Amino acid sequence: MLQDEGLENVLKRHDKLARATRAGALALGLKLFPKENPSNALTAIEAPAGVDGQAIYKNLREKYGITRRRRTGQAQGKDLPHRASGLCRYL
């Protein structure tokens, strides 16, 4: 896929997807980590107060088949990491 698309185009696509993800989260009133110099490979969104991030992922897994690596430690249930890399179809 990288050879077909070309590195520059892949990086542009990841930038576009990451910016859209961050803009969408902010439009919903959610907070991002870090606030400055975010990565285009991963967008970490703070779960709103009173919302268990683990429960959100459980619903995504059971209802839509979307899976992710389990979080441990202090971040468990408090953030919602989203990767912009990989295959993504624009709607």
Side-chain angles (χ1 to χ4, degrees):
M1 183 173 171
L2 178 61
Q3 288 181 339
D4 293 340
E5 190 174 353
L7 179 60
E8 186 175 332
N9 291 328
V10 169
L11 295 175
K12 285 179 183 179
R13 178 171 48 85
H14 289 185
D15 179 67
K16 182 179 181 177
L17 292 170
R19 287 176 187 274
T21 299
R22 291 191 296 266
L26 291 172
L28 292 170
L30 301 172
K31 296 177 183 174
L32 304 176
F33 308 115
K35 292 180 176 30
E36 296 179 19
N37 301 317
S39 168
N40 285 341
L42 176 73
T43 299
I45 303 167
E46 182 179 341
V51 175
D52 180 4
Q54 297 295 322
I56 292 172
Y57 280 110
K58 180 180 179 187
N59 183 52
L60 288 172
R61 183 181 64 250
E62 292 175 354
K63 195 168 185 178
Y64 302 104
I66 297 172
T67 60
R68 68 159 184 108
R69 184 180 65 84
R70 288 188 59 88
R71 301 285 286 177
T72 59
Q74 292 180 337
Q76 186 173 359
K78 296 179 183 175
D79 72 336
L80 309 167
H82 172 77
R83 297 192 194 295
S85 57
L87 179 61
C88 180
R89 295 193 174 111
Y90 297 99
L91 300 176

